[in-house]
C-alpha cells in the first residue's frame, strides 16, 4: 500500500501525523528497558504487555527484525499548561482509540503486521498478569518503550518531529507492516 493511502487511513483513524517507518532504523536499547525497570510509570511487572511479561529484549528483537517497512503514527494534543494532567490523559485515551481503529483498518490488509502502541495494554479492567495467561493475546499491545525503543530516536531517524511546541503533548505508536523477503 502506498504511503498516501496509509496516511489517508491514519487520518481516518484520527491520528494527527502519519510517517513512513524504515524498520532498519529501529534500535532496541537495554537502557530503555532499564527505565521500565525503574518503575517510574508503576506498571513494571504488572501487565503482560510490559516488561518483564512482554518477553526478553532478544525476543522483541526477533519479532521486529522480520519487518522492513511500516508507519509511525502520532496524536498531538493541546494542553492548557504544562501541568494539565487531564489534557494529557485525554490525549492518551484519544491516541489509544485511534490506535485501535487503525489496527482494525490495517489488519485485513496486513494480517501479519506487528502493532506496537503507547503505554501499557488497557484492554481489560484488570490484567491477568502473572496468575493466568493473557485473555486476548491477539489483541493486546506492548508499547514502543516495552520493546526497548527510544521514541525520540525512532522519530528523529524517520524525519518525524516529536515535540510540537509548548503546551502540546504527543503520543507515538507504530505499525510494522511489510515483512522482509
Ligand atoms: S489483554 Fe488483558 S490480560 Fe492481556 S495484556 Fe491486555 S490487559 Fe492483560
Amino acid at each position: 500500500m502506498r504511503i498516501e493511502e496509509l496516511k489517508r487511513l491514519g487520518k481516518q483513524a484520527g491520528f494527527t501525523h502519519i510517517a513512513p517507518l524504515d524498520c532498519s532504523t529501529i534500535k532496541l536499547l537495554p537502557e530503555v528497558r532499564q527505565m521500565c525497570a525503574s518503575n517510574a510509570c508503576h506498571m513494571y511487572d504488572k501487565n503482560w504487555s510490559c516488561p518483564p511479561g512482554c518477553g526478553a529484549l532478544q525476543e522483541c528483537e526477533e519479532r521486529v527484525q522480520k519487518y522492513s517497512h511500516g508507519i509511525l503514527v502520532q496524536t498531538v494534543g493541546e494542553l492548557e499548561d504544562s501541568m494539565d494532567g487531564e489534557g494529557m490523559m485525554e490525549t492518551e485515551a484519544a491516541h489509544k482509540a485511534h490506535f485501535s481503529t487503525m489496527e482494525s483498518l490495517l489488519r485485513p490488509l496486513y494480517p501479519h503486521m506487528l502493532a506496537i502502541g503507547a503505554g501499557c495494554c488497557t484492554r481489560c479492567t484488570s490484567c491477568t498478569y502473572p496468575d493466568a495467561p493473557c485473555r486476548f493475546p491477539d489483541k493486546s499491545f506492548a508499547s514502543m518503550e516495552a520493546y526497548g525503543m527510544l521514541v525520540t530516536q525512532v522519530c528523529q531517524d524517520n524525519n518525524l518531529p516529536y515535540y510540537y511546541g509548548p503546551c502540546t503533548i504527543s503520543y507515538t505508536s507504530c505499525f510494522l507492516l511489510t515483512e522482509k523477503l
Side-chain angles (χ1 to χ4, degrees):
M1 194 176 219
R2 285 149 45 100
I3 186 65
E4 287 74 21
E5 292 165 62
L6 290 166
K7 284 185 176 179
R8 186 183 56 74
L9 281 188
K11 289 279 179 188
Q12 189 184 327
F15 292 116
T16 322
H17 301 283
I18 303 100
L21 168 63
D22 173 355
C23 297
S24 70
T25 63
I26 297 174
K27 296 176 187 142
L28 304 190
L29 308 169
E31 305 90 275
V32 177
R33 279 300 192 93
Q34 277 154 21
M35 283 194 278
C36 290
S38 74
N39 203 18
C41 67
H42 309 292
M43 288 314 298
Y44 185 77
D45 207 13
K46 296 215 171 51
N47 188 298
W48 285 116
S49 72
C50 292
C54 63
L57 201 56
Q58 195 183 336
E59 290 171 50
C60 294
E61 211 155 66
E62 282 164 17
R63 279 178 232 149
V64 168
Q65 275 174 355
K66 289 186 191 149
Y67 297 88
S68 61
H69 291 92
I71 50 170
L72 282 162
V73 289
Q74 276 179 339
T75 305
V76 180
E78 303 275 337
L79 302 176
E80 282 177 18
D81 54 51
S82 60
M83 302 298 285
D84 180 9
E86 204 176 308
M88 289 177 203
M89 285 193 298
E90 276 172 16
T91 308
E92 184 184 8
H95 183 72
K96 280 182 181 273
H98 302 158
F99 182 81
S100 175
T101 304
M102 189 66 168
E103 204 273 339
S104 309
L105 292 170
L106 288 174
R107 185 65 68 186
L109 304 166
Y110 298 96
H112 303 295
M113 73 175 179
L114 180 59
I116 305 177
C120 76
C121 178
T122 49
R123 187 163 290 273
C124 311
T125 316
S126 171
C127 187
T128 55
Y129 183 88
D131 305 316
C134 171
R135 290 186 190 98
F136 307 107
D138 297 335
K139 294 194 181 318
S140 77
F141 305 107
S143 67
M144 291 177 71
E145 287 85 357
Y147 265 82
M149 295 182 208
L150 194 60
V151 176
T152 46
Q153 174 265 311
V154 182
C155 288
Q156 191 171 13
D157 287 353
N158 289 277
N159 305 309
L160 178 68
Y162 178 75
Y163 177 65
Y164 291 89
C167 293
T168 66
I169 186 156
S170 65
Y171 288 88
T172 307
S173 298
C174 59
F175 293 90
L176 311 193
L177 301 173
T178 315
E179 289 177 277
K180 285 180 189 164
L181 295 175

